[in-house]
Amino acid sequence: MLTEGQREALALFREISQVEDEQLCIDVMMNYDFNVDAAVNGFMLGGGGSGAHDNAAPSSSVGITNRGQGGGVTRGSASSNRSSSSSSSSSSSSSSSSSSSSSRGAGTNTVNTPVAAPTGGAQGAVNQANSGGLMDFVLTPFKWIFQENRIMTINPDQETMLFVNDFNRQYTPQHPRFHGRSYTDAVRQAYRNSKFLIVYLHSPMHEDTNRFCQQVLCNPDVSEHCNRTALSWAGRIWDSEAYFLSQQLRVSTYPFMAILMPKSETMVEIADRIQGKIEATSLLARFRNVMRTFEGHLNHVRVQEQRRRADSLLREEQDRDFRESEAQDRRNRERREQEDREERERVEQAARAQREAQAAAEAAAAMKKSNIESKKASMPTEAAVGAGTATVRFQLPNNSKVTRRFDKEASVQELYDWLEVYFYDNNSDTKRFSLSTTHPKVELEDMGATVNSVGLFPRGMLYVQDLDL
């Protein structure tokens, strides 16, 4: 027989899970001792009838080391963490007040924080919340997740930006300047800039969340201190990355903040954890004390990062010089190859031109010889002395003289042809020439005119002018 409280819890579980089978709901609730949060978490994550203590915490690759300044992180099992986080609202409120004051434990433990998380982390975040007992309060994350126009995503950057935008709308933009990308990127940026990393995990279902956000987190002094001394990152606990981060940090109550020191781009060390109710002045004092204590470590990280950057810049400069040297050698080699190609082409072109000129000269000589032979064959023999014979004396360009007899009716063309044959047979340099009379000086251009008509009968004298001189 169910008690009145058990019946109320059963009705709440049926409304959240939308399961019609009452006996199935009773079985699930009995397996979780009628704890609505634990039952919803186990049922949504596929746990069915198994207890909350059987759920294993996810693994990851980015290390977190816890150092003595507190936080109460122990090397307990994942089941003990879930058991404490799924307690009732009254026990949650009690642990809330004690956690802040007792988070000064010593020791060093290593746990893991997520780089990426599966989609199931969104529903599983219910296990991290402390219920206030009201239906709307418990339904809040599920209404947020399954609302009609909600874009589901496992992109940590998008989840972070969605949370920051929602936080600004619900509260005020005057809060610590939250890093706008994933937690993994925040760790990387904090290490590169040698800053502390402040993490805030937001639990909308917890009864102390609104007061903490309004009076503490959005306090101007807190915001100024965080912006000046650290890089801040925040996430909603039912978002994938924040949910798994809360698992790895073994969060037991909310509000929750952690001060982390980056040891590398993928490893952080816990300097302090702050859980439960706290005032703005106490939070600031806590921040200052922790940062003063670990400032030496952060300076060491800063020196290491500066040395790493200097080494990286040196390597980049050496690589750049090497690449430039290689490029210059390549350009020199290409220039030499181009010059060699051009020289070969020039030599080949000159040789080709010489061959062509020689071939042309040989062809011209052959044509000239053929032409001379033709003229010789058609040329009449020298005319005999007689009444119809004209004696013509030629004054050559070298001032030598040659005489020949022609028929008085011979044409001027025969005079040119005979001189051309004469020059060829005597290997003269005169190739082109003209003939002209002396007094008056008349150039013989009419090749059809006769010796008699140009005044060379019975004798005459012609000047031979070399046209190439």
Side-chain angles (χ1 to χ4, degrees), residues 157 159-169 171-183 185-186 197-202 212-213 216-219 222-223 226-227 230-236 256-257 287:
D157 292 340
E159 287 182 338
T160 301
M161 286 306 302
L162 286 172
F163 165 68
V164 173
N165 292 335
D166 291 346
F167 190 95
N168 292 341
R169 284 192 296 269
Y171 299 105
T172 173
Q174 307 303 319
H175 53 74
R177 189 164 49 249
F178 297 141
H179 186 64
R181 299 189 64 184
S182 67
Y183 166 76
D185 186 74
L197 176 60
I198 296 177
V199 171
Y200 168 63
L201 299 182
H202 184 74
F212 177 79
C213 292
V216 180
L217 193 58
C218 294
N219 181 280
V222 172
S223 299
C226 291
N227 293 338
L231 187 147
S232 302
W233 183 87
R236 189 165 13 213
F256 177 86
M257 297 186 77
F287 281 169

Side-chain angles (χ1 to χ4, degrees), residues 99-340:
S99 174
S100 177
S101 61
S102 64
S103 61
R104 301 284 183 178
T108 301
N109 297 301
T110 300
V111 293
N112 291 321
T113 187
V115 176
T119 54
Q123 289 96 341
V126 178
N127 192 42
Q128 290 296 310
N130 294 285
S131 171
L134 298 176
M135 183 178 299
D136 288 342
F137 200 55
V138 175
L139 288 174
T140 299
F142 297 96
K143 291 179 180 179
W144 182 85
I145 293 173
F146 297 109
Q147 60 183 277
E148 181 179 357
N149 296 323
R150 175 90 184 152
I151 300 176
M152 295 301 293
T153 176
I154 59 172
N155 185 320
D157 292 340
Q158 294 179 2
E159 287 182 338
T160 301
M161 286 306 302
L162 286 172
F163 165 68
V164 173
N165 292 335
D166 291 346
F167 190 95
N168 292 341
R169 284 192 296 269
Q170 183 175 356
Y171 299 105
T172 173
Q174 307 303 319
H175 53 74
R177 189 164 49 249
F178 297 141
H179 186 64
R181 299 189 64 184
S182 67
Y183 166 76
T184 305
D185 186 74
V187 172
R188 181 165 51 250
Q189 296 302 323
Y191 175 75
R192 291 179 178 178
N193 292 281
S194 302
K195 286 190 173 184
F196 289 98
L197 176 60
I198 296 177
V199 171
Y200 168 63
L201 299 182
H202 184 74
S203 175
M205 296 183 295
H206 197 278
E207 58 189 356
D208 294 327
T209 294
N210 285 335
R211 186 198 68 82
F212 177 79
C213 292
Q214 293 169 353
Q215 300 180 15
V216 180
L217 193 58
C218 294
N219 181 280
D221 294 336
V222 172
S223 299
E224 187 276 334
H225 182 80
C226 291
N227 293 338
R228 177 170 47 83
T229 61
L231 187 147
S232 302
W233 183 87
R236 189 165 13 213
I237 60 170
W238 59 67
D239 285 338
S240 58
E241 200 172 36
Y243 169 69
F244 283 100
L245 184 58
S246 70
Q247 293 285 298
Q248 298 301 313
L249 291 173
R250 300 293 191 267
V251 179
S252 61
T253 189
Y254 295 91
F256 177 86
M257 297 186 77
I259 304 177
L260 307 178
M261 294 183 302
K263 300 176 67 176
S264 69
E265 291 190 355
T266 58
M267 178 73 68
V268 295
E269 188 173 307
I270 301 176
D272 194 11
R273 299 190 320 155
I274 304 163
Q275 303 188 85
K277 293 180 180 179
I278 191 170
E279 299 300 325
T281 54
S282 300
L283 182 65
L284 277 173
R286 203 66 177 261
F287 281 169
R288 294 189 178 102
N289 181 48
V290 170
M291 293 178 179
R292 184 167 51 250
T293 301
F294 293 101
E295 183 64 27
H297 171 80
L298 193 64
N299 288 336
H300 178 67
V301 172
R302 184 178 295 112
V303 170
Q304 286 184 322
E305 175 61 11
Q306 290 174 349
R307 184 180 296 113
R308 186 194 68 82
R309 289 185 179 180
D311 293 342
S312 176
L313 289 175
L314 178 60
R315 286 193 300 271
E316 289 178 0
E317 183 176 355
Q318 291 173 341
D319 291 343
R320 183 172 59 253
D321 292 342
F322 179 74
R323 289 193 299 270
E324 290 178 355
S325 177
E326 277 192 329
Q328 185 62 42
D329 291 342
R330 185 176 61 256
R331 289 191 293 268
N332 292 338
R333 185 172 58 254
E334 291 174 350
R335 186 180 66 254
R336 288 193 298 269
E337 291 174 353
Q338 178 67 21
E339 291 175 351
D340 291 342

